[in-house]
Amino acid sequence: GTALLETAKAHLRSLDAFGLVECFNESVQVIANTLGWDLTMALSLAQNQALHVWKPTMEKARAIRSSSGARSAAAASSRSAASAARRLSFTGPGHNFWREFLQEDVKREIQQVNSLDVELVKFAREEFRRKYGMKCEE
């Protein structure tokens, strides 16, 4: 596990450009500048495509969450509510949207099981800040 993580970090360091979903616009800027693309055009295209793909999904998920939020506190803590939360895990540009649906214990379990991924993402954020001078938040 640790050797694979170090290989992934080395690979990330070697890239001419990379991006982070939670730093979407800044990532497009970095990639466009590196590849010599027109920045305004690249940002416009990326934002329009990202919204086209994710907006309906996010709206539907928010509607599901709103309707489940109307349940009583006892029902919200039931097994079926936890199961539903587990099925609604996904991300969209610029946001870890899935986290809104998960209970704290489920979030901790996911992070523990995926600890190498969590460490790589943390490293990528730090590397993005160091390499491009931009800080991205979770």
Side-chain angles (χ1 to χ4, degrees):
T2 304
L4 185 58
L5 177 61
E6 292 308 313
T7 300
K9 287 179 178 181
H11 178 72
L12 193 62
R13 279 189 214 99
S14 74
L15 296 174
D16 292 331
F18 69 91
L20 300 167
V21 71
E22 63 266 27
C23 206
F24 186 74
N25 291 339
E26 294 85 350
S27 296
V28 171
Q29 178 183 344
V30 164
I31 293 166
N33 289 339
T34 301
L35 298 175
W37 294 346
D38 177 85
L39 179 58
T40 304
M41 192 177 252
L43 278 169
S44 176
L45 180 62
Q47 290 169 347
N48 289 334
Q49 290 300 316
L51 288 176
H52 170 73
V53 171
W54 285 102
K55 190 174 181 182
T57 304
M58 291 172 15
E59 287 174 351
K60 185 173 185 174
R62 283 193 177 107
I64 291 168
R65 181 166 186 204
S66 295
S67 66
S68 68
R71 296 181 193 163
S72 70
S77 65
S78 73
R79 181 180 296 259
S80 64
S83 176
R86 286 188 174 109
R87 289 192 305 270
L88 289 170
S89 60
F90 64 93
T91 59
H95 193 268
N96 284 323
F97 191 75
W98 59 268
R99 290 177 184 225
E100 294 180 23
F101 294 96
L102 300 177
Q103 296 172 353
E104 288 303 315
D105 63 324
V106 176
K107 290 179 201 178
R108 282 191 300 275
E109 183 180 346
I110 290 170
Q111 289 175 331
Q112 182 180 17
V113 169
N114 296 290
S115 62
L116 294 177
D117 292 329
V118 170
E119 189 173 337
L120 182 60
V121 169
K122 180 181 175 187
F123 172 81
R125 286 187 191 116
E126 292 167 1
E127 187 68 5
F128 195 84
R129 181 190 48 74
R130 185 194 66 74
K131 195 170 188 175
Y132 308 118
M134 298 178 203
K135 184 176 181 181
C136 296
E137 298 299 326
E138 196 174 326

